[in-house]
Amino acid sequence: MRILKRPNTLAVFFAALSMSLLMSACEPAASDEPADASAASEPTYVLAIHGGAGTIRRSDLSPEREAQYRAKLEEALRAGHNVLSGGGSSLDAVIATLTILEDSPLFNAGKGAVFTHEGTVELDASIMDGATKNAGAVAGVKHIRNPIALARLVLEKSPHVMLTGDGAEEFARENGVEMVDNSYFYTEWRREQLERAKAAEGAMGAAMPPGEELAPGAYKYGTVGAVALDRAGNLAAGTTTGGMTNKRFGRVGDSPIIGAGTYADNATCAVSSTGWGEYFIRGVIAHDIAAMMAYGGASVEEAARTVIMDKLEAMGGTGGVIAMDREGHVAMPFNTEGMYRGRIDAEGNVTVEIYKD
Ligand code: ASP
């Protein structure tokens, strides 16, 4: 949705003409005013989110369940919009939005995250500031209620980009971050998904592709991400997840990897990915979109579409991204049956979509 205010060409011409007549009539004239004051564009702000991509079909969701997803996505969008409309930063908006989704049992992040092979929950998250290109990430944390907030602390209070496991939790404790028992994250439906994944394990190996439906109802999408542009023109992106059902051996996906699951640079775009993480890591998907814009001059729509529909697809990967440029243009390509996604513009207009069509 474009909310750009471009000067009307005729208006600019007549304004320039009258200005030059005025200047020749009363020399010397000194003015810092632009020829046409309306040429200065209004700062805009936009927020977009995803709630995971995968085999999400109408037949999989009851009307009640679908309504719950739509309501929670809208609540998250409005929380981020409140931050942006009040002049808050894109980083703050990303945090406000993703905290709501982490606290909801509907998504594979925070409460409601998928189970590991051992029947525990291990969480990954990352965030990036497009203005400074500073980033923070955590991987394999087990007791952090809101991993996205910890990723932000890493960005702000540590000289590092990524902290993992016990070390990340020690850093969290030192910084007074809220810790919870691992059982806080457990939900019955994710436990059932683990059982189904284990039953299908023979066919697929230990970890299951997110969103793959190997047994009826065993779909397990739900990673969440947000990209935002604030009034100051700064982009930010964040992603937070429980990873893949039945993961083992400390497996870490793309979500906490800067350049794969998350990327933001004011010069190009902000990106958050969701899908089969191994492909997003090997394809360096989020940064690839920014690179097409930086080196090839592609628009965010072209870049995101090419990287997902051509490159990721050709690699055999599945998933999607949300990507936003510094003018607030949003692209949301995915090559799966569906992707929970939504956006909100400066006027507060909300769009939430789930399926491909
Ligand atoms: N990309 C995440 C991972 O592989 C999962 C997802 O997006 O659903 O860990």
Side-chain angles (χ1 to χ4, degrees), residues 24 60 81 95 184 254:
S24 55
D60 295 330
H81 180 264
I95 294 287
Y184 159 80
D254 61 312

Side-chain angles (χ1 to χ4, degrees), residues 300-311 331 333:
V300 71
E301 290 89 353
E302 278 168 341
R305 168 157 270 280
T306 303
V307 172
I308 296 302
M309 303 315 244
D310 297 350
K311 178 177 168 172

Side-chain angles (χ1 to χ4, degrees), residues 210 223 241 243-244 251 253-255 274-277:
T223 290
T241 188
M244 288 162 73
R251 181 264 183 191
D254 61 312
S255 307
T274 178
W276 195 340

Side-chain angles (χ1 to χ4, degrees), residues 50-54 108 124 208-211 220-224 239-244 247 251-256 261 273-281 318-320:
H50 70 73
N108 176 15
D124 307 328
M208 294 181 69
K220 55 207 82 39
Y221 38 78
T223 290
V224 298
T239 312
T240 170
T241 188
M244 288 162 73
K247 64 185 184 182
R251 181 264 183 191
V252 173
D254 61 312
S255 307
S273 312
T274 178
W276 195 340
E278 279 68 12
Y279 288 88
F280 281 75
I281 295 172
T318 49

